[in-house]
Amino acid sequence: MKTIALEIEKALGTITKEQIFSQAKAAQEANVLLENGQGKGNDFLGWLHLPSSINELIINDIQQTADSLRSKCEVVVVIGIGGSYLGAKAVIDAISGTFDTKKPVVVYAGHNIGEDYLHELSEFLAGKLFGIINISKSGTTTEPALAFRILKKQLEEAIGKVEAKSRIVAITDEKRGALRTLSDKEGYKTFVIPDNVGGRFSVLTPVGLLPIAVAGIDIKQLVAGAVSMEKAIGTTVDFEHNPAAIYAVVRNLLYQKGKKIEILANFNPKLHYVAEWWKQLYGESEGKEHKGIFPASVDFTTDLHSMGQWIQEGERSIFETVISVAHPKYTVEVPHDTEDLDGLNYLAGKRVDYVNKMAELGTQMAHVAGGVPNIKIELPELNEYYLGQLLYFFERACGISAYLLDVNPFDQPGVEAYKKNMFKLLDKPGY
Ligand code: PA5
């Protein structure tokens, strides 16, 4: 099996190979800190060996639960916010057919407080056989709790409490939190989010795996890809062969050179939510103590017609990391047209992906020439295996990068500020 590949040559105008290698020891030490559990936030390192430690029993339990929901439901609503839904959505969107209407359809709730969104969702679900996967590690997050209360009522009113119970699954803490109390009282099927795995690192726990399996995606292949990456970027691997360590070093050096914003770009619209997941992973892990690269994202070529101008000629405080997929799944050729009124015959017989790849190369050349350092991560194909590799690659690189920046990658004290104000404004007891 191949692996995803990291290319950093197009970042070398701004930083040098010598500078990168001068950080080899620090990056290796950061990787070892993760492994030894002696760094900041070491209570939350459960994700580090998740891929290789997921046992067959858990995978089978997840698959059986998914199969049961798949057999009973036309629609499954995944309720969760932040790390409790982004990983699942990233994988589901990347692997599923864009216009797929295969049952069950997976939809999302609890990731906003939109009244119209909830109303429209309720209307969409009315008269349909639906189930709910309710995900909250703390079990007390307002957005998912609110959505669950509304959808639980709708489900119970539609099919009765007993039948509803067989279509609700909760994923939460083993002992604590309102969702745990509620699930135990109602007798829902539950899965546990390990104590030592934070939300944004939880895609390879039932948090991600159950919704992904419900969407009909091969979770064993996803995990297999992550296992292979766990081996490829561990502490026994030299710096020069460790893409996660190199990526972490390069982005930190660019940051020191004033490149304060990293734009994750893709040339495949299916990767839009991989970027959303990545933004949470890096933003929430590194943005603290008034430090940290701002993670942004664009979908190309779509956004070349909107953000492209800014990237080419705006403030030179950015670098780009492009996720490139070497081979698409399908083949579509540009047809020949006798009249050629649209002037496209010069492309006749060429694959659409060839046009896309030339757009990718042309964009890279233009942006690099315009002062935007470029990092490329290439996936041989967009499938479960390589996506598993990519997810684990980004997680481990994030841990190393945050340690290089000297922040705790595993806490998120900043997200409490808005909650305190909101609860006070809402007259929540105790605030
Ligand atoms: O990464 C994190 O820890 C957060 O983004 C959480 O996943 C998010 O706030 C949701 O929290 P919870 O799962 O407790 O509802």
Side-chain angles (χ1 to χ4, degrees), residues 55-116:
N55 67 47
E56 193 85 350
L57 283 176
I58 297 180
I59 291 281
N60 289 343
D61 192 7
I62 291 171
Q63 194 60 60
Q64 276 162 18
T65 307
D67 291 344
S68 161
L69 285 171
R70 282 170 66 76
S71 68
K72 286 183 186 153
C73 305
E74 295 169 87
V75 182
V76 174
V77 188
V78 175
I79 297 182
I81 194 165
S84 288
Y85 94 104
L86 282 167
K89 184 149 173 63
V91 175
I92 292 170
D93 284 12
I95 301 292
S96 310
T98 309
F99 304 102
D100 230 348
T101 48
K102 265 189 246 144
K103 307 274 185 299
V105 172
V106 177
V107 298
Y108 302 86
H111 55 308
N112 60 48
I113 322 180
E115 186 159 335
D116 290 347

Side-chain angles (χ1 to χ4, degrees), residues 4 47 51 86-88 90-91 200-201 203-204 209 212 222 225-226 229 233 273-274 277-278 281-282 379 384-398:
I4 62 172
W47 58 274
L86 282 167
V91 175
R200 58 192 175 274
F201 288 85
V203 59
L204 296 169
L209 296 179
I212 291 168
L222 186 77
M229 188 50 65
I233 57 181
Y273 264 89
V274 168
W277 171 84
W278 171 89
L281 182 65
Y282 280 81
L379 274 64
E384 288 90 334
Y385 187 81
Y386 295 123
L387 210 47
Q389 287 192 346
L390 185 71
L391 296 175
Y392 188 81
F393 165 82
F394 274 139
E395 288 181 348
R396 186 117 191 181
C398 182

Side-chain angles (χ1 to χ4, degrees), residues 75-373:
V75 182
V76 174
V77 188
V78 175
I79 297 182
I81 194 165
S84 288
Y85 94 104
L86 282 167
K89 184 149 173 63
V91 175
I92 292 170
D93 284 12
I95 301 292
S96 310
T98 309
F99 304 102
D100 230 348
T101 48
K102 265 189 246 144
K103 307 274 185 299
V105 172
V106 177
V107 298
Y108 302 86
H111 55 308
N112 60 48
I113 322 180
E115 186 159 335
D116 290 347
Y117 184 94
L118 280 166
H119 173 84
E120 286 163 13
L121 177 60
S122 291
E123 286 211 321
F124 171 72
L125 295 172
K128 293 194 175 73
L129 298 169
F130 74 95
I132 301 172
I133 303 175
N134 189 13
I135 309 170
S136 177
K137 178 171 178 181
S138 63
T140 54
T141 307
T142 310
E143 291 90 337
L146 204 61
F148 183 62
R149 182 180 277 213
I150 291 165
L151 296 178
K152 172 182 186 273
K153 181 167 176 278
Q154 179 173 354
L155 187 61
E156 288 177 351
E157 282 173 2
I159 56 173
K161 232 175 151 36
V162 175
E163 185 52 31
K165 208 189 285 185
S166 76
R167 296 195 203 161
I168 296 175
V169 180
I171 308 178
T172 189
D173 187 84
E174 191 178 3
K175 300 194 184 92
R176 288 183 299 264
L179 180 55
R180 169 53 61 190
T181 313
L182 192 155
S183 303
D184 288 348
K185 176 130 192 306
E186 298 282 6
Y188 298 147
K189 164 78 181 166
T190 62
F191 287 96
V192 170
I193 308 174
D195 247 355
N196 58 358
V197 180
R200 58 192 175 274
F201 288 85
S202 70
V203 59
L204 296 169
T205 71
V207 170
L209 296 179
L210 181 63
I212 291 168
V214 164
I217 291 166
D218 188 342
I219 54 172
K220 284 189 180 162
Q221 275 302 304
L222 186 77
V223 171
V227 171
S228 74
M229 188 50 65
E230 188 185 320
K231 287 192 196 119
I233 57 181
T235 50
T236 56
V237 181
D238 291 344
F239 174 75
E240 65 183 304
H241 297 117
N242 188 331
I246 295 172
Y247 173 59
V249 164
V250 169
R251 62 196 299 283
N252 273 285
L253 285 172
L254 290 169
Y255 179 59
Q256 286 161 22
K257 295 271 179 186
K259 306 295 182 189
K260 307 281 185 195
I261 301 164
E262 179 176 8
I263 302 179
L264 194 74
N266 68 71
F267 281 80
N268 182 330
K270 282 166 174 271
L271 291 172
H272 177 85
Y273 264 89
V274 168
E276 296 303 313
W277 171 84
W278 171 89
K279 283 195 284 195
Q280 187 209 357
L281 182 65
Y282 280 81
E284 222 168 48
S285 300
E286 293 195 315
K288 45 199 74 159
E289 299 175 29
H290 297 170
K291 299 192 272 191
I293 294 168
F294 181 82
S297 67
V298 286
D299 299 322
F300 288 158
T301 61
T302 311
D303 292 333
L304 285 171
H305 298 260
S306 58
M307 294 302 290
Q309 172 60 35
W310 198 102
I311 295 170
Q312 190 68 44
E313 295 184 347
E315 191 182 81
R316 300 298 72 188
S317 51
I318 55 173
F319 66 99
E320 228 169 13
T321 298
V322 177
I323 305 181
S324 178
V325 180
H327 302 290
K329 203 166 160 186
Y330 305 108
T331 302
V332 180
E333 284 180 2
V334 181
H336 182 269
D337 187 276
T338 335
E339 293 194 75
D340 196 26
L341 294 176
D342 53 10
L344 281 182
N345 267 357
Y346 76 102
L347 293 174
K350 298 259 186 340
R351 288 181 61 175
V352 170
D353 189 58
Y354 169 74
V355 181
N356 199 29
K357 288 291 189 297
M358 292 308 106
E360 186 178 325
L361 185 57
T363 304
Q364 185 195 53
M365 288 158 69
H367 289 180
V368 172
V372 182

